[in-house]
Amino acid sequence: MPKPARAWQRMLSGRRLDLLDPTPLDIEIEDIAHGLAFVARWNGQTRGDFAYSVAEHSLLVETLFARLYPTATPAQRLTALLHDAPEYVIGDMISPVKAAVGPDYKALDKRLEVAVHIRFGLPAETPPALKKRIKKADTVSAWMEATEIAGFTETEATKLFGRPSANVIEGLSIRLRPPVDVRAEYTARHAALLSAL
């Protein structure tokens, strides 16, 4: 009888995370921050000396979310920061690939998201209205990334993502930094939001 395929990954914290049945006890913010700081968005097809990481993207999404919804609670802002947290172990797939892979990827992502949320005291399920608001901030981030570092013209990006309001993105720009710097900022931002709950 063949051995079942291994479904866990050893994390740098020493935890063994079962990817098919993750538990909140095996989730550590240091692992999330580290993983996301080394996962490139846009399949790494961006300009610059460093990849644009999912951690950097998540920090921008949380900032945009706060600008779009200034009365958002710390828990809502933390949910925005963690919106792509499962990608620390399953990577970032561009939308066309996610669509091709189908429901299995989505189910895996969902199980990890639930474990992450429970670990940090958030509702297991993100309420649909909050999910929609975070998606709006995520889409603004995608437009900025597309036009600043991914080689899209503003016309192309606007067709795909819509043009964001100038006041929402005013003073913001895409930052490309070493993963260690992004990891530290992500961890610090998480700690600040968690302490405000």
Side-chain angles (χ1 to χ4, degrees), residues 9 19 85-93 105 108-110 112:
Q9 177 177 342
L19 300 176
E87 294 179 8
Y88 85 108
V89 286
I90 60 175
D92 179 42
M93 282 193 218
Y105 177 87
L108 181 60
D109 182 87
K110 187 65 180 165
L112 286 161

Side-chain angles (χ1 to χ4, degrees), residues 50-180:
F50 296 101
Y52 185 68
S53 72
V54 175
E56 193 79 80
H57 162 78
S58 298
L59 287 161
L60 179 58
V61 168
E62 192 258 328
T63 297
L64 290 165
F65 178 78
R67 285 186 174 198
L68 288 163
Y69 308 102
T71 60
T73 66
Q76 292 168 333
R77 291 181 70 166
L78 181 59
T79 305
L81 181 71
L82 294 169
H83 79 283
D84 279 339
E87 294 179 8
Y88 85 108
V89 286
I90 60 175
D92 179 42
M93 282 193 218
I94 60 173
S95 296
V97 176
K98 284 181 186 175
V101 171
D104 289 342
Y105 177 87
K106 194 168 194 149
L108 181 60
D109 182 87
K110 187 65 180 165
R111 285 193 295 271
L112 286 161
E113 179 182 79
V114 166
V116 168
H117 283 196
I118 292 171
R119 170 66 176 87
F120 299 116
L122 299 170
E125 296 279 334
T126 303
L130 177 56
K131 189 178 279 285
K132 188 175 179 180
R133 288 178 165 195
I134 293 169
K135 185 63 181 172
K136 185 172 180 178
D138 191 42
T139 302
V140 172
S141 178
W143 186 91
M144 292 177 64
E145 295 162 24
T147 58
E148 292 184 38
I149 58 171
F152 287 61
T153 65
E154 287 194 9
T155 302
E156 290 171 323
T158 299
K159 186 175 179 184
L160 288 169
F161 307 114
R163 181 180 293 278
S165 300
N167 64 321
V168 172
I169 61 173
E170 183 181 357
L172 297 177
S173 61
I174 300 301
R175 296 189 294 172
L176 299 173
R177 301 183 283 165
V180 65

